[in-house]
């Protein structure tokens, strides 16, 4: 089927079934272009909570679709590919967090939304990279915190707040951890006027080289309003599509991942950091998903209710 044909069929099915397509900024460009709503993790969870659609098709990864189902249990939530997982979410298993909590019963648990419903059910307040600082700051200075699962975001927030009483989970996103410091230094030499934009899931040496650190949506907003012409982008490369659309005259250069450089990938885009889980979602799979109403995301009701509390708390604190 031609791309234009698939797009037309997706539009028709969405209308017939009163379905909405939510997509994360790390999706393929052609998926971003047909989304009804495009956003970062926080914006997508806010949208999932208020949509009037009967069906939510989630062009993102599994934990995002789960979050939508937790917030909108009466809606059918579909993910076009069940293999769209997340290395960060995988780095925190519910049984491990449960044991850890037993060791530190007096700690408040703050978990990134990049976690399973089971982990959210063990969490007091969720956060995303957009609101992590606000959520941590909402707690009294002397409150003991377990922050997980992203160690880079956790350490970054710890350094901003100066809190000593934060236990950081030892998890990470394989995409954001892989950016090559050497590549950033070389790019800075090549483009001396460029600003470095970095996501807080990146390692500390990358963050130290950044001119601006922020969530995906914050990086996008900064690039659109700032008056520099060239940016070196240390986050998942899918966001560059939106950056380029908002600022067609500016130049955005993706940072390569060390792994890709080690394996001598010479094509700059082949080496740039892309989340293979996010890129599993294609137009064809979205069409199949809508047509066959697959693959439905369901959550045990007891887990869902507990998980919902931690997300609702986050949404209330994010207003
Ligand atoms: P944000 O959408 O909060 O920027 O998180 C980035 C991410 O890695 C999502 O999977
Ligand atoms: Fe997970 Fe990282 Fe991919 Fe985001 S970019 S979905 S955190 S693996």
């Amino acid at each position: 089927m031609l791309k234009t044909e698939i797009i037309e069929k997706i539009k028709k099915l969405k209308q017939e079934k009163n379905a909405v397509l939510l997509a994360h900024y790390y999706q393929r460009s052609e998926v971003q272009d047909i989304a009804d709503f495009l956003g970062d993790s926080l914006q997508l969870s806010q949208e999932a909570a208020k949509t009037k659609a009967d069906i939510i098709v989630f062009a993102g990864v599994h934990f995002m679709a789960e979050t939508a189902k937790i917030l909108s249990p009466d809606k059918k939530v579909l993910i076009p590919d069940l293999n769209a997982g997340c290395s960060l979410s995988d780095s925190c298993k519910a049984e491990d967090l449960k044991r850890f909590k037993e060791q530190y019963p007096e700690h408040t648990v703050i978990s990134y939304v990049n976690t399973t419903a089971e982990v959210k059910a063990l969490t007091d307040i969720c956060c995303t990279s957009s609101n992590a600082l606000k959520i941590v700051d909402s707690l009294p200075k002397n409150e003991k915190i377990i922050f997980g699962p992203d160690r880079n975001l956790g350490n970054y927030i710890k350094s901003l707040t100066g809190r000593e009483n934060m236990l950081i989970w030892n998890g990470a996103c394989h995409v954001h951890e892989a950016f090559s410091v050497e590549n950033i230094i070389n790019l800075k030499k090549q483009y001396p006027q460029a600003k470095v934009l970095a996501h807080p899931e990146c390692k500390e040496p990358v963050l130290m080289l950044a001119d601006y650190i922020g969530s995906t949506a914050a990086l996008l907003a900064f690039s659109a309003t700032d008056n520099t012409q060239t940016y070196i982008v240390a986050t998942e490369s899918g966001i560059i599509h939106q950056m380029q659309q908002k600022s067609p005259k500016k130049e955005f250069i993706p940072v390569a991942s060390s792994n890709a450089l080690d394996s001598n990938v010479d094509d700059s885009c082949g080496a740039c950091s892309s989340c293979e889980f996010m890129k599993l979602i294609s137009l064809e799979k979205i069409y199949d998903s809508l047509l066959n109403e697959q693959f439905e995301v369901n959550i045990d009701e007891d887990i869902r209710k507990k998980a919902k509390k931690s997300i609702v708390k986050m949404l209330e604190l994010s207003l």
Side-chain angles (χ1 to χ4, degrees):
M1 225 189 304
L2 287 172
K3 189 172 153 186
T4 46
E5 262 178 77
I6 299 187
I7 292 174
E8 275 320 302
K9 282 181 190 272
I10 290 174
K11 279 188 187 156
K12 201 160 164 266
L13 278 171
K14 274 197 305 175
Q15 222 171 17
E16 280 168 18
K17 299 193 178 204
N18 188 26
V20 70
L21 178 65
L22 306 186
H24 191 272
Y25 287 129
Y26 298 168
Q27 288 291 295
R28 295 164 186 257
S29 305
E30 64 268 27
V31 172
Q32 295 188 30
D33 291 344
I34 59 154
D36 296 300
F37 185 86
L38 186 63
D40 71 355
S41 305
L42 177 63
Q43 295 165 327
L44 288 167
S45 59
Q46 286 165 329
E47 190 62 23
K50 63 177 191 225
T51 181
K52 297 268 183 292
D54 295 317
I55 297 179
I56 299 173
V57 181
F58 220 109
V61 292
H62 196 266
F63 75 80
M64 295 179 175
E66 266 192 348
T67 304
K69 185 68 184 179
I70 291 167
L71 291 167
S72 300
D74 301 333
K75 301 192 191 309
K76 194 175 250 191
V77 177
L78 305 173
I79 182 141
D81 189 324
L82 278 173
N83 291 317
C86 168
S87 57
L88 180 52
S89 175
D90 286 347
S91 65
C92 183
K93 302 269 179 261
E95 58 271 26
D96 296 336
L97 179 60
K98 193 162 176 278
R99 265 196 300 273
F100 196 65
K101 273 182 65 165
E102 280 159 11
Q103 276 177 264
Y104 300 99
E106 73 286 17
H107 284 59
T108 297
V109 180
I110 301 183
S111 298
Y112 210 28
V113 285
N114 299 43
T115 44
T116 59
E118 287 77 8
V119 166
K120 288 186 178 82
L122 293 167
T123 294
D124 296 298
I125 319 176
C126 279
C127 75
T128 74
S129 52
S130 295
N131 58 22
L133 181 62
K134 201 171 179 182
I135 303 283
V136 170
D137 271 344
S138 74
L139 299 175
K141 261 273 181 234
N142 58 352
E143 191 145 338
K144 294 174 179 158
I145 297 171
I146 294 172
F147 187 99
D150 192 85
R151 57 179 171 242
N152 298 313
L153 177 68
N155 284 320
Y156 175 61
I157 299 294
K158 194 172 176 175
S159 71
L160 290 182
T161 57
R163 286 190 188 238
E164 283 307 318
N165 49 9
M166 259 174 93
L167 294 173
I168 314 283
W169 194 264
N170 193 19
C173 155
H174 74 296
V175 178
H176 286 91
E177 278 237 313
F179 290 115
S180 157
V181 171
E182 197 190 339
N183 187 229
I184 299 177
I185 293 170
N186 286 338
L187 288 170
K188 274 172 79 100
K189 280 187 202 145
Q190 221 178 316
Y191 304 93
Q193 306 302 329
K195 281 188 183 163
V196 177
L197 309 180
H199 193 283
E201 285 172 26
C202 296
K203 285 190 286 194
E204 197 185 2
V206 169
L207 297 182
M208 283 168 71
L209 290 170
D211 295 286
Y212 183 77
I213 299 169
S215 70
T216 313
L219 297 179
L220 176 62
F222 180 84
S223 72
T225 50
D226 181 61
N227 57 14
T228 307
Q229 276 311 302
T230 311
Y231 298 87
I232 296 164
V233 184
T235 189
E236 210 276 355
S237 53
I239 188 63
I240 292 181
H241 181 57
Q242 289 307 312
M243 289 177 167
Q244 203 69 76
Q245 293 216 333
K246 287 206 188 304
S247 312
K249 294 199 174 120
K250 294 184 180 178
E251 189 179 8
F252 297 96
I253 303 154
V255 176
S257 88
S258 338
N259 306 342
L261 289 180
D262 288 348
S263 56
N264 288 327
V265 177
D266 49 15
D267 143 11
S268 69
C269 227
C272 70
S273 286
S274 169
C275 174
E276 65 272 37
F277 299 117
M278 286 281 183
K279 302 301 190 271
L280 280 176
I281 312 296
S282 62
L283 291 178
E284 290 78 5
K285 287 181 194 169
I286 291 172
Y287 170 66
D288 288 343
S289 178
L290 272 162
L291 183 69
N292 303 316
E293 301 191 11
Q294 67 191 27
F295 298 92
E296 197 174 347
V297 175
N298 282 308
I299 302 162
D300 170 86
E301 188 53 14
D302 184 44
I303 301 273
R304 190 194 69 77
K305 280 190 190 144
K306 287 184 185 146
K308 188 177 173 188
K309 284 189 192 158
S310 61
I311 303 174
V312 168
K313 242 186 204 160
M314 168 187 85
L315 294 175
E316 285 167 0
L317 287 169
S318 306
L319 292 173

